[in-house]
Structures are given as C-alpha cells and as structure tokens.
Amino acid sequence: MRNSTGNPFTTIRILVYGKVQGVFFRQSTCEKALQLGITGWVRNLPGEQVEIIASGYYEQLLELIAWCRKGPPRAIVTHLETTELSPQHFVDFIISR
C-alpha cells in the first residue's frame, strides 16, 4: 500500500481526542512508534488533545493509527483526525513537551 503520491514513505499528523491526557498516552505512543519503526514526536495540546507527527512506511502508519483509536488501557479515545503531510525525516520518536 502507498500514500496518495505513490511513495511508500510518508508523514502524517494525528490528533487524538477524548480522555487522552494524564493516562500515559504520550509514553505509550512513543513505545508503540518505536516498536513499529516509526520516527517523529508526540505532545499534549492545550485543548486536551494529543498531537502526533509520525513518519514511516504507509503500513507502519496504518498500524499506529489503529493503535491510537484505542490507546493505552486508561485512555478513552472519542475520535481521531489524520492528515497526510509532506514526508519528513526524523532521527527518533520523542515526547515533546
């Protein structure tokens, strides 16, 4: 599977809504991204959402999106918004504060 430009490598932005702050969502996202071989970052937003910028191969990113729909055990995800971005290259996956 490839992104809309035909490139198997891409970057996406995921906004996660619900009870996603104070439930280890950022830490769990970081662990999942590293497990999948994804680079980028995750941070809390002031409106109580979590923002994720993730770069990887399309199949890896689909797995991350699927995981984000549920999140860690204490999270209650109400919905996600995903946006495809221009491919960006990061060295690692980090928690941004």
Side-chain angles (χ1 to χ4, degrees), residues 51-67:
E51 178 183 35
I52 303 162
I53 302 295
S55 292
Y57 291 99
Y58 203 63
E59 293 81 10
Q60 295 168 310
L61 297 173
L62 289 176
E63 284 190 55
L64 181 64
I65 292 168
W67 179 87

mmCIF file of all heavy atoms in Angstrom, residues 51-67:
data_model
loop_
_atom_site.group_PDB
_atom_site.id
_atom_site.type_symbol
_atom_site.label_atom_id
_atom_site.label_comp_id
_atom_site.label_asym_id
_atom_site.label_seq_id
_atom_site.Cartn_x
_atom_site.Cartn_y
_atom_site.Cartn_z
ATOM 1 N N GLU A 51 -1.302 15.437 20.016
ATOM 2 C CA GLU A 51 -0.887 15.592 18.628
ATOM 3 C C GLU A 51 0.306 14.684 18.369
ATOM 4 O O GLU A 51 1.245 14.652 19.170
ATOM 5 C CB GLU A 51 -0.494 17.041 18.341
ATOM 6 C CG GLU A 51 0.002 17.255 16.925
ATOM 7 C CD GLU A 51 0.460 18.676 16.675
ATOM 8 O OE1 GLU A 51 1.027 19.303 17.597
ATOM 9 O OE2 GLU A 51 0.275 19.145 15.547
ATOM 10 N N ILE A 52 0.258 13.973 17.265
ATOM 11 C CA ILE A 52 1.336 13.068 16.865
ATOM 12 C C ILE A 52 1.757 13.432 15.450
ATOM 13 O O ILE A 52 0.905 13.574 14.561
ATOM 14 C CB ILE A 52 0.858 11.598 16.889
ATOM 15 C CG1 ILE A 52 0.342 11.218 18.271
ATOM 16 C CG2 ILE A 52 1.974 10.656 16.434
ATOM 17 C CD1 ILE A 52 -0.525 9.968 18.280
ATOM 18 N N ILE A 53 3.052 13.595 15.248
ATOM 19 C CA ILE A 53 3.621 13.707 13.905
ATOM 20 C C ILE A 53 4.474 12.460 13.729
ATOM 21 O O ILE A 53 5.416 12.232 14.492
ATOM 22 C CB ILE A 53 4.478 14.982 13.737
ATOM 23 C CG1 ILE A 53 3.670 16.245 14.032
ATOM 24 C CG2 ILE A 53 5.103 15.014 12.339
ATOM 25 C CD1 ILE A 53 2.538 16.520 13.067
ATOM 26 N N ALA A 54 4.115 11.645 12.754
ATOM 27 C CA ALA A 54 4.758 10.340 12.599
ATOM 28 C C ALA A 54 5.195 10.127 11.156
ATOM 29 O O ALA A 54 4.431 10.381 10.226
ATOM 30 C CB ALA A 54 3.792 9.238 13.012
ATOM 31 N N SER A 55 6.425 9.655 10.994
ATOM 32 C CA SER A 55 6.970 9.344 9.674
ATOM 33 C C SER A 55 7.326 7.871 9.601
ATOM 34 O O SER A 55 7.913 7.312 10.533
ATOM 35 C CB SER A 55 8.240 10.170 9.407
ATOM 36 O OG SER A 55 7.924 11.529 9.281
ATOM 37 N N GLY A 56 6.973 7.264 8.490
ATOM 38 C CA GLY A 56 7.289 5.857 8.298
ATOM 39 C C GLY A 56 6.662 5.360 7.017
ATOM 40 O O GLY A 56 6.143 6.143 6.211
ATOM 41 N N TYR A 57 6.725 4.079 6.836
ATOM 42 C CA TYR A 57 6.084 3.465 5.679
ATOM 43 C C TYR A 57 4.593 3.350 5.950
ATOM 44 O O TYR A 57 4.148 3.231 7.087
ATOM 45 C CB TYR A 57 6.716 2.111 5.368
ATOM 46 C CG TYR A 57 8.118 2.292 4.846
ATOM 47 C CD1 TYR A 57 9.212 2.134 5.690
ATOM 48 C CD2 TYR A 57 8.343 2.673 3.529
ATOM 49 C CE1 TYR A 57 10.502 2.338 5.221
ATOM 50 C CE2 TYR A 57 9.625 2.883 3.050
ATOM 51 C CZ TYR A 57 10.694 2.720 3.902
ATOM 52 O OH TYR A 57 11.965 2.936 3.441
ATOM 53 N N TYR A 58 3.839 3.450 4.886
ATOM 54 C CA TYR A 58 2.381 3.539 4.981
ATOM 55 C C TYR A 58 1.785 2.445 5.867
ATOM 56 O O TYR A 58 0.931 2.717 6.703
ATOM 57 C CB TYR A 58 1.797 3.512 3.568
ATOM 58 C CG TYR A 58 0.435 4.124 3.482
ATOM 59 C CD1 TYR A 58 0.238 5.471 3.775
ATOM 60 C CD2 TYR A 58 -0.659 3.363 3.098
ATOM 61 C CE1 TYR A 58 -1.015 6.039 3.689
ATOM 62 C CE2 TYR A 58 -1.917 3.934 3.009
ATOM 63 C CZ TYR A 58 -2.095 5.263 3.300
ATOM 64 O OH TYR A 58 -3.336 5.821 3.219
ATOM 65 N N GLU A 59 2.237 1.214 5.719
ATOM 66 C CA GLU A 59 1.695 0.107 6.508
ATOM 67 C C GLU A 59 1.970 0.305 8.002
ATOM 68 O O GLU A 59 1.128 -0.011 8.843
ATOM 69 C CB GLU A 59 2.280 -1.237 6.045
ATOM 70 C CG GLU A 59 1.855 -1.649 4.648
ATOM 71 C CD GLU A 59 2.664 -0.964 3.533
ATOM 72 O OE1 GLU A 59 3.689 -0.307 3.838
ATOM 73 O OE2 GLU A 59 2.252 -1.070 2.371
ATOM 74 N N GLN A 60 3.167 0.814 8.333
ATOM 75 C CA GLN A 60 3.507 1.087 9.731
ATOM 76 C C GLN A 60 2.574 2.151 10.304
ATOM 77 O O GLN A 60 2.084 2.031 11.432
ATOM 78 C CB GLN A 60 4.950 1.596 9.847
ATOM 79 C CG GLN A 60 6.016 0.609 9.449
ATOM 80 C CD GLN A 60 7.360 1.297 9.319
ATOM 81 O OE1 GLN A 60 7.493 2.332 8.658
ATOM 82 N NE2 GLN A 60 8.367 0.732 9.972
ATOM 83 N N LEU A 61 2.337 3.194 9.520
ATOM 84 C CA LEU A 61 1.489 4.286 9.984
ATOM 85 C C LEU A 61 0.045 3.832 10.156
ATOM 86 O O LEU A 61 -0.638 4.268 11.088
ATOM 87 C CB LEU A 61 1.587 5.472 9.024
ATOM 88 C CG LEU A 61 2.987 6.096 8.942
ATOM 89 C CD1 LEU A 61 3.030 7.138 7.839
ATOM 90 C CD2 LEU A 61 3.418 6.674 10.275
ATOM 91 N N LEU A 62 -0.422 2.955 9.286
ATOM 92 C CA LEU A 62 -1.773 2.410 9.457
ATOM 93 C C LEU A 62 -1.888 1.644 10.771
ATOM 94 O O LEU A 62 -2.913 1.721 11.456
ATOM 95 C CB LEU A 62 -2.145 1.501 8.283
ATOM 96 C CG LEU A 62 -2.411 2.200 6.953
ATOM 97 C CD1 LEU A 62 -2.681 1.158 5.866
ATOM 98 C CD2 LEU A 62 -3.562 3.178 7.065
ATOM 99 N N GLU A 63 -0.844 0.919 11.144
ATOM 100 C CA GLU A 63 -0.844 0.207 12.430
ATOM 101 C C GLU A 63 -0.873 1.184 13.598
ATOM 102 O O GLU A 63 -1.573 0.948 14.591
ATOM 103 C CB GLU A 63 0.381 -0.709 12.546
ATOM 104 C CG GLU A 63 0.286 -1.974 11.731
ATOM 105 C CD GLU A 63 1.408 -2.938 12.064
ATOM 106 O OE1 GLU A 63 1.570 -3.273 13.256
ATOM 107 O OE2 GLU A 63 2.125 -3.339 11.126
ATOM 108 N N LEU A 64 -0.119 2.279 13.492
ATOM 109 C CA LEU A 64 -0.128 3.280 14.558
ATOM 110 C C LEU A 64 -1.503 3.920 14.683
ATOM 111 O O LEU A 64 -2.017 4.097 15.796
ATOM 112 C CB LEU A 64 0.939 4.350 14.307
ATOM 113 C CG LEU A 64 1.027 5.431 15.395
ATOM 114 C CD1 LEU A 64 1.457 4.827 16.735
ATOM 115 C CD2 LEU A 64 1.977 6.539 14.969
ATOM 116 N N ILE A 65 -2.123 4.254 13.567
ATOM 117 C CA ILE A 65 -3.466 4.835 13.601
ATOM 118 C C ILE A 65 -4.443 3.875 14.268
ATOM 119 O O ILE A 65 -5.248 4.279 15.116
ATOM 120 C CB ILE A 65 -3.941 5.197 12.173
ATOM 121 C CG1 ILE A 65 -3.118 6.358 11.619
ATOM 122 C CG2 ILE A 65 -5.429 5.538 12.168
ATOM 123 C CD1 ILE A 65 -3.303 6.602 10.131
ATOM 124 N N ALA A 66 -4.377 2.608 13.910
ATOM 125 C CA ALA A 66 -5.261 1.610 14.521
ATOM 126 C C ALA A 66 -5.043 1.551 16.031
ATOM 127 O O ALA A 66 -6.005 1.484 16.812
ATOM 128 C CB ALA A 66 -5.036 0.239 13.885
ATOM 129 N N TRP A 67 -3.781 1.592 16.471
ATOM 130 C CA TRP A 67 -3.477 1.570 17.901
ATOM 131 C C TRP A 67 -4.027 2.824 18.580
ATOM 132 O O TRP A 67 -4.599 2.754 19.673
ATOM 133 C CB TRP A 67 -1.970 1.450 18.131
ATOM 134 C CG TRP A 67 -1.636 1.444 19.574
ATOM 135 C CD1 TRP A 67 -1.601 0.355 20.398
ATOM 136 C CD2 TRP A 67 -1.338 2.583 20.392
ATOM 137 N NE1 TRP A 67 -1.298 0.758 21.681
ATOM 138 C CE2 TRP A 67 -1.132 2.115 21.700
ATOM 139 C CE3 TRP A 67 -1.227 3.940 20.144
ATOM 140 C CZ2 TRP A 67 -0.824 2.973 22.757
ATOM 141 C CZ3 TRP A 67 -0.925 4.790 21.191
ATOM 142 C CH2 TRP A 67 -0.720 4.304 22.484
#
